[in-house]
Amino acid sequence: MNLPFSHPWVLAPTAGVVLLVLALALRAHLRPGLGVQVVGQRPLWQGLGMALMAAGLGLGLAEPRWGLPEFPRLTVHVVLDASRSMTVPDAEGRTRWEAAVTALDRIWSRPQPGIRWGLDLLTGDDIPIHPPGEDRTLLREALRAVVPGEVGSPGTSLGRGLPQVAAQIDHDLPAVILLLSDGEETWEAPEEALNHALEPLKRARIPVCVLAYGDGQPHAVPVRAQAAAAPGPEPAVSTAHPDFLTRLAQATQGQVFKDGEDAAAGLQALAAGRLPLPARRSLQPAHPEVGAWLALAGLALWLFFSGKTLARWRPILLLLLGLGSSRLQAQGSAWAPPAVKAWLAQRAIEGGDLPGARKWRPGDARPAHVLLAAQIDLRTGFPEDALKTLSPLVGQGSPRPIPAWRAPALLLAARAHVESNRPAEARALLERLLLEQPGQREAIHDLQTLVKDAQPPPPPNPKKPPPP
């Protein structure tokens, strides 16, 4: 069972400490010493206060989780079956490969804020094609060059390929595997393959979401000349096994999608936290401040029943307690010098910790910090916030000589406009950058991706030859 805590193991020792404190407090209450009676202390109530402080410390370290994330975030590792059996035309009149590629085209043709995509091909082993990133156009073009049955080892080995994919995934980041396959295992028995795949997937806590193709009836596999001469475990007759994929998804707490539209909606729900992920990869925000509030309540209770010794200090301590509570109330905006916040945010980005980068996002007007804040806004799916952040740096006028931050600011603003479906504004910014700094390579590359190639004019009609 996945408890709603980041570190649930802290709860057991915390409970032991709380019980020990309460037992000692009860003993002191039943057999109070002379000093306790003279001072006027209340051991039972003070023990209860100390128990609350210990419980608050443990609860804060355990980090309870609830609510929705501040921004969508998910890494989807697409695993596409590229074996020869995917050429069978039993997917509603199309081949299984064509149906799978069409589903991915539908998913990648729309903006997917907060989702990074990786691509692997699955045959007899795993073939990495593209590491996780946000360039969906490159992924779509990469599939155009793939011919099923002509890459990697022959056949399909889900029991060997999926563990190889799981070994590439970060242990703590929110991630899922999207498997598009017909479910036919050709290297080992289905039960053995399922067991070999489930053990590393469960250990890494990676859900597998599936899109199954094929009608479940035996069909002859189309044979190519190159494939006919290649030996291997690929059968001449292929039968899709969607039930195998369903068992795989259920065993890893994944989902079975009907088509590309259903997959796009389901992945967006996972990225937004509306559907749960395993505890290690949970998108729910942690709330350690609950433990701090409980500890402060315990401290106040302990001070109130401390007797005559702390009577004079009680107002000062209560004042400090109030200042601490007001500080906790403003815990959403962590205070630190701008340079320290920028350093912590940069380290968080390099480590893939987007919540940490969002927490330490710098807010001062230094150009380097403004660029870092805009980059964090873009990485976390807030292009409009990035444009507001960059507005002081991307105005019409530019100081002379042109500062080093001008080109990165215009490039980031153009990217934000593209993610907001405003290619015309992005094109205008890139053209402005090329006017200010002719020959800027990255601007030229980005502008070429935005401007569609002009159709060449039709050839002139050939003149009819004169009659002989």
Side-chain angles (χ1 to χ4, degrees):
M1 180 179 65
N2 290 325
L3 295 176
F5 295 93
S6 299
H7 311 288
W9 61 270
V10 180
L11 298 176
T14 300
V17 171
V18 169
L19 292 176
L20 178 62
V21 170
L22 291 176
L24 294 176
L26 182 60
R27 179 179 179 275
H29 174 71
L30 295 177
R31 300 174 59 184
L34 181 61
V36 171
Q37 296 177 5
V38 171
V39 173
Q41 294 178 343
R42 303 288 184 87
L44 185 61
W45 289 101
Q46 283 189 294
L48 181 59
M50 293 186 66
L52 287 176
M53 285 191 282
L57 177 61
L59 190 62
L61 293 176
E63 293 187 352
R65 292 178 175 271
W66 70 80
L68 295 178
E70 297 180 359
F71 51 87
R73 182 166 62 100
L74 185 67
T75 301
V76 180
H77 294 264
V78 178
V79 180
L80 179 58
D81 190 347
S83 62
R84 192 159 53 93
S85 64
M86 292 293 285
T87 60
V88 174
D90 63 343
E92 299 181 356
R94 297 178 297 177
T95 66
R96 302 169 185 173
W97 175 264
E98 291 172 350
V101 171
T102 301
L104 290 176
D105 275 337
R106 291 181 179 177
I107 296 174
W108 289 336
S109 62
R110 302 175 181 176
Q112 303 285 344
I115 299 183
R116 301 168 66 238
W117 302 88
L119 178 61
D120 289 49
L121 298 181
L122 181 66
T123 55
D125 46 17
D126 174 59
I127 306 171
I129 299 296
H130 195 278
E134 301 176 3
D135 194 342
R136 302 186 304 276
T137 303
L138 183 59
L139 293 172
R140 296 170 69 185
E141 294 299 327
L143 289 182
R144 300 291 186 268
V146 178
V147 178
E150 296 187 3
V151 292
S153 304
T156 306
S157 180
L158 295 166
R160 295 195 313 169
L162 291 178
Q164 294 176 23
V165 177
Q168 307 170 19
I169 301 176
D170 190 280
H171 291 287
D172 299 317
L173 294 180
V176 298
I177 292 176
L178 178 61
L179 175 62
L180 298 92
S181 174
D182 53 16
E184 186 175 32
E185 169 69 36
T186 61
W187 281 73
E188 51 189 346
E191 290 299 327
E192 295 179 1
L194 188 62
N195 293 332
H196 291 164
L198 286 180
E199 182 179 355
L201 290 172
K202 288 183 177 179
R203 186 167 57 248
R205 300 193 178 186
I206 303 174
V208 178
C209 302
V210 300
L211 278 168
Y213 297 97
D215 57 6
Q217 302 298 324
H219 297 274
V221 178
V223 180
R224 292 188 178 91
Q226 298 88 345
E234 187 89 36
V237 176
S238 173
T239 304
H241 295 281
D243 54 338
F244 178 86
L245 299 177
T246 301
R247 292 171 58 194
L248 177 64
Q250 293 175 348
T252 58
Q253 302 180 16
Q255 300 183 60
V256 179
F257 297 128
K258 297 180 296 184
D259 50 26
E261 298 289 340
D262 188 27
L267 294 174
Q268 277 294 336
L270 285 171
R274 294 191 298 271
L275 291 178
L277 284 171
R280 182 190 297 176
R281 304 181 182 277
S282 175
L283 289 165
Q284 291 180 315
H287 296 277
E289 69 277 5
V290 175
W293 283 110
L294 189 61
L296 285 174
L299 178 59
L301 188 64
W302 184 85
L303 288 174
F304 188 77
F305 292 100
S306 58
K308 302 175 183 178
T309 308
L310 294 178
R312 296 180 180 179
W313 290 92
R314 201 171 291 161
I316 299 176
L317 294 176
L318 289 176
L319 177 61
L320 293 176
L321 183 65
L323 292 176
S325 63
S326 63
R327 188 66 190 159
L328 280 175
Q329 191 172 4
Q331 51 100 23
S333 57
W335 183 89
V340 175
K341 294 179 72 173
W343 179 73
L344 291 172
Q346 185 65 44
R347 286 181 59 87
I349 284 184
E350 292 174 356
D353 182 13
L354 294 183
R358 191 74 181 176
K359 174 183 177 182
W360 296 108
R361 176 184 177 275
D364 59 315
R366 191 179 304 178
H369 295 174
V370 171
L371 292 176
L372 178 60
Q375 184 182 2
I376 292 172
D377 290 336
L378 281 176
R379 292 284 299 275
T380 53
F382 294 98
E384 297 297 337
D385 292 348
L387 290 173
K388 293 179 182 178
T389 304
L390 291 168
S391 57
L393 305 184
V394 297
Q396 292 287 346
S398 177
R400 300 292 179 177
I402 297 177
W405 48 259
R406 179 67 171 177
L410 289 172
L411 290 170
L412 282 174
R415 180 182 168 191
H417 279 299
V418 170
E419 292 191 5
S420 299
N421 295 323
R422 291 191 294 266
E425 288 82 350
R427 191 181 307 119
L429 289 178
L430 295 174
E431 291 173 351
R432 185 193 306 171
L433 176 56
L434 289 176
L435 288 175
E436 295 177 358
Q437 303 180 36
Q440 220 280 346
R441 294 185 177 180
E442 191 170 352
I444 294 174
H445 175 269
D446 292 348
L447 193 59
Q448 287 175 343
T449 61
L450 288 174
V451 178
K452 296 181 179 180
D453 296 334
Q455 295 292 335
N461 294 327
K463 296 182 179 179
K464 295 183 180 180

